Amino acid sequence: MRLIHAIEDHALTNPGKGAFISNGSQLSYGDLWEQSEKIASYLLKQSLKKASPILVYGHMEPSMLVSFLASVKAGHPYIPIDTSIPMERVVKICESSGAELLINATNQELPAKLPSVRILPFHKLNGHEPIEKAVSADFWVKDDENFYIIYTSGSTGNPKGVQISANNLESFVSWMLRDFPINGQLRFLNQAPFSFDLSVMDLYPALASGGTLHAVTKEMIAKPKVLFEELKRSNIQVWTSTPSFVQMCLMDPSFKEDLLPELSVFLFCGEILPATVSRQLLERFPKAKIFNTYGPTEATVAVTLVEVTPELLDNYPTLPVGKEKSDMRIIIVDENVQEVKDGEKGEIIIVGPSVSKGYLGQPELSKKAFFTYDGEMAYRTGDAGYIENDMLFYKGRLDFQIKLHGYRMELEEIEHHIAKSRYVKAVVIVPFTLNEKIEYLIAAIIPAKHSFEKEFQLTAAIKKELSDALPSYMIPRKFAYYEELPMTANGKVDRKQIGEKVLL
Ligand code: AMP
């Protein structure tokens, strides 16, 4: 599969067909192709460093897609930056990625200045004079060259950029279109913002197969009535989201076949898919198939799949994440990186062509997580799991990376930023878990000297500082203050006791 060529084919054979619908505006395949040509040819004249990344800032505007395609046509990977990412974090991404340009795909000015990059407003670029000749395919990103870079939470306090090449992405998209019933110019839901790799699960399978993406924006998601009206209008056939998002939708009894009568496939990834959620979906959407998939951003979205049928639910109270895609291998290893026997628990290692070449500009960090195995790229996931009946089962994390409402984050990154506050002497972050699901985060803090009368004022001041550095989904919901942090008998912070105190 050659992704950009596949998109070109659809633009040539069916230019009027909708590629992306967002907030009532439609971008056709023809427009996607033409506008990205114009911007790619402009980018080629900017004498940028070879293959240097281009930041694309926005939410779910059609101009985001155009900018992605323009970047890769001009030979540059893009870094998607959602508007929910605070500017302090964007500055870090600019600096660590070495990007020279940022395309602002929104209609507004950026909320703050960025010192190291040139800012190109999309509407000015797109208004540029028509181009005389097409951008040669020789410039297009290909093979092992980076196609996109997605930044995820890093335990050192800085986000890390996962490099995904054209080969990585094409291996993933080919698998999606071959092993899932989605290859027929279908209508796809686009719920995850582009800075999360879950969005890649709908974006490129849709574009490569000539389908149409229908976005639901964060403003719509914030208002259930508006969200449901938009879902109704979308009449989508393929649903991709985190289990958390569909669980939220299921709270409304009208989330059933009548709302989306043509919905035929649910794709889930990113966190545990509870059996109860699957059962409800099978009841409310009797014609739809449900797939659980598993994978980290570092191995291009997902590498295993299993169809969740009533039989599977009867056989496994905790669902498996399934079987690996045919060109990949999943290995379970012990602490000495030795393979364990089937059925034994260990760390999940992913091997094969979907595995990234590493974190951009971070050789030390990359060395810890990536290695070669039998001549192929391999990634240490930090996930615990075991293999039984040829299927992988996920058994939690081996470190402090967590998923909260579908968002990936490192507790150490949050601790790092809270510890920098002038109001804080020491901090640990404790996830509060109910029925094996993390409900919210608790910041257990020993405060520094301060002049606030009430704890809630202190909390407000720390939260305000945090909001400059972290996206809102990473800011703990509860703050608990201590003179000393409670310790267990063996001298570790007693996380359980902290959780219990907050509940009181
Ligand atoms: P991300 O890079 O945001 O996709 O997060 C990757 C992590 O999410 C994995 O390393 C797992 O810890 C978790 N994850 C992904 N898919 C699943 C799944 N189907 N079930 C349980 N956890 C999952």
Side-chain angles (χ1 to χ4, degrees):
M1 119 107 26
R2 298 177 75 198
L3 188 53
I4 308 178
H5 287 92
I7 300 173
E8 181 180 29
D9 284 347
H10 299 302
L12 290 173
T13 52
N14 212 347
K17 169 138 196 199
F20 187 57
I21 297 170
S22 178
N23 246 332
S25 63
Q26 170 162 308
L27 177 75
S28 67
Y29 274 90
D31 287 344
L32 171 63
W33 193 259
E34 286 309 315
Q35 292 179 19
S36 60
E37 278 297 290
K38 225 191 259 187
I39 296 177
S41 86
Y42 176 86
L43 293 173
L44 282 169
K45 290 185 200 126
Q46 304 308 302
S47 4
L48 299 173
K49 277 192 238 127
K50 191 173 159 29
S52 68
I54 293 177
L55 290 118
V56 181
Y57 180 84
H59 183 49
M60 283 171 157
E61 298 83 1
S63 45
M64 291 290 277
L65 260 69
V66 174
S67 306
F68 297 163
L69 192 57
S71 302
V72 293
K73 279 181 175 179
H76 296 271
Y78 63 87
I79 303 177
I81 305 278
D82 189 68
T83 49
S84 61
I85 300 176
M87 275 294 144
E88 203 175 286
R89 202 174 173 82
V90 180
V91 170
K92 279 189 176 160
I93 295 174
C94 286
E95 284 164 357
S96 77
S97 65
E100 296 163 277
L101 277 185
L102 177 146
I103 301 178
N104 179 2
T106 71
N107 281 329
Q108 275 128 38
E109 297 240 323
L110 289 187
K113 288 214 158 29
L114 291 172
S116 56
V117 292
R118 234 177 90 203
I119 299 187
L120 302 174
F122 177 85
H123 61 95
K124 281 205 188 140
L125 285 179
N126 197 32
H128 231 253
E129 74 271 16
I131 49 162
E132 302 99 54
K133 64 178 180 29
V135 172
S136 159
D138 293 344
F139 291 110
W140 298 355
V141 162
K142 60 185 163 312
D143 304 334
D144 196 35
E145 292 165 3
N146 286 339
F147 197 98
Y148 66 78
I149 296 155
I150 281 187
Y151 274 78
T152 71
S153 177
S155 56
T156 57
N158 290 327
K160 47 195 187 195
V162 181
Q163 307 177 79
I164 298 298
S165 68
N167 282 344
N168 293 150
L169 181 59
E170 287 168 1
S171 162
F172 168 72
V173 176
S174 305
W175 171 64
M176 290 293 299
L177 295 181
R178 193 182 56 232
D179 287 12
F180 297 79
I182 58 170
N183 191 356
Q185 311 210 329
L186 302 178
R187 291 184 296 278
F188 291 69
L189 174 72
N190 171 220
Q191 178 264 321
F194 296 117
S195 49
F196 300 101
D197 89 326
L198 183 62
S199 64
V200 174
M201 191 173 249
D202 44 80
L203 177 55
Y204 290 110
L207 294 183
S209 63
T212 305
L213 288 145
H214 196 114
V216 291
T217 62
K218 60 176 185 235
E219 289 79 18
M220 295 171 189
I221 294 171
K223 295 198 186 108
K225 191 168 168 284
V226 178
L227 170 66
F228 274 60
E229 281 165 9
E230 191 65 25
L231 286 175
K232 177 102 205 145
R233 238 191 314 274
S234 74
N235 198 16
I236 48 137
Q237 295 156 304
V238 182
W239 174 286
T240 306
S241 79
T242 56
S244 290
F245 182 74
V246 90
Q247 208 165 359
M248 186 193 86
C249 293
L250 279 166
M251 289 190 332
D252 190 318
S254 70
F255 187 68
K256 55 181 183 177
E257 200 178 54
D258 296 348
L259 181 78
L260 293 165
E262 293 191 44
L263 186 50
S264 59
V265 179
F266 281 99
L267 302 173
F268 295 110
C269 190
E271 55 181 354
I272 293 170
L273 175 63
T276 46
V277 169
S278 312
R279 281 193 196 279
Q280 274 178 290
L281 288 174
L282 286 174
E283 269 166 34
R284 296 211 209 167
F285 296 89
K287 293 204 289 279
K289 287 174 184 283
I290 302 174
F291 293 91
N292 189 16
T293 74
Y294 156 88
T297 306
E298 286 85 342
T300 322
V301 193
V303 290
T304 71
L305 94 94
V306 62
E307 186 183 342
V308 184
T309 58
E311 298 74 54
L312 190 89
L313 283 160
D314 289 343
N315 289 338
Y316 299 103
T318 303
L319 292 176
V321 294
K323 220 179 139 29
E324 64 267 43
K325 70 199 254 277
S326 58
D327 56 358
M328 304 291 287
R329 281 174 68 189
I330 300 269
I331 304 165
I332 309 290
V333 299
D334 61 18
E335 314 77 75
N336 304 316
V337 204
Q338 295 301 309
E339 261 183 74
V340 300
K341 288 203 221 74
D342 267 12
E344 275 178 35
K345 194 173 130 182
E347 183 175 4
I348 303 172
I349 307 286
I350 302 174
V351 188
S354 315
V355 175
S356 153
K357 58 171 82 81
Y359 302 115
L360 181 67
Q362 306 253 31
E364 288 309 312
L365 219 52
S366 302
K367 229 193 287 167
K368 279 193 204 148
F370 297 90
F371 58 103
T372 46
Y373 185 95
D374 279 351
E376 291 196 278
M377 276 310 285
Y379 173 65
R380 299 185 63 148
T381 60
D383 289 327
Y386 63 90
I387 293 175
E388 208 173 77
N389 300 335
D390 252 358
M391 277 197 292
L392 178 66
F393 289 79
Y394 171 83
K395 295 302 287 175
R397 289 291 302 174
L398 296 163
D399 59 11
F400 293 115
Q401 181 184 300
I402 59 141
K403 277 287 168 100
L404 174 62
H405 308 312
Y407 295 112
R408 167 172 161 177
M409 59 195 84
E410 300 275 354
L411 297 181
E412 290 139 305
E413 180 174 9
I414 306 172
E415 285 170 359
H416 170 92
H417 285 284
I418 298 187
K420 282 201 308 199
S421 163
R422 65 196 135 133
Y423 306 117
V424 173
K425 220 164 34 188
V427 55
V428 286
I429 303 296
V430 182
F432 178 76
T433 307
L434 199 65
N435 301 332
E436 293 180 43
K437 188 168 192 289
I438 298 175
E439 293 289 327
Y440 56 84
L441 298 181
I442 303 163
I445 288 175
I446 304 178
K449 264 212 167 93
H450 63 85
S451 53
F452 297 110
E453 271 177 29
K454 300 268 192 288
E455 276 187 357
F456 78 85
Q457 295 165 317
L458 175 59
T459 301
I462 300 173
K463 279 192 175 174
K464 182 160 187 317
E465 285 184 347
L466 273 185
S467 66
D468 292 334
L470 294 177
S472 56
Y473 59 81
M474 286 177 79
I475 298 179
R477 189 195 299 172
K478 296 251 154 96
F479 282 65
Y481 297 98
Y482 294 83
E483 279 176 20
E484 277 175 29
L485 291 173
M487 293 286 174
T488 61
N490 61 7
K492 289 188 181 166
V493 174
D494 190 344
R495 291 168 187 270
K496 194 159 165 274
Q497 209 190 356
I498 291 169
E500 281 161 6
K501 175 189 161 176
V502 167
L503 257 191
L504 291 175

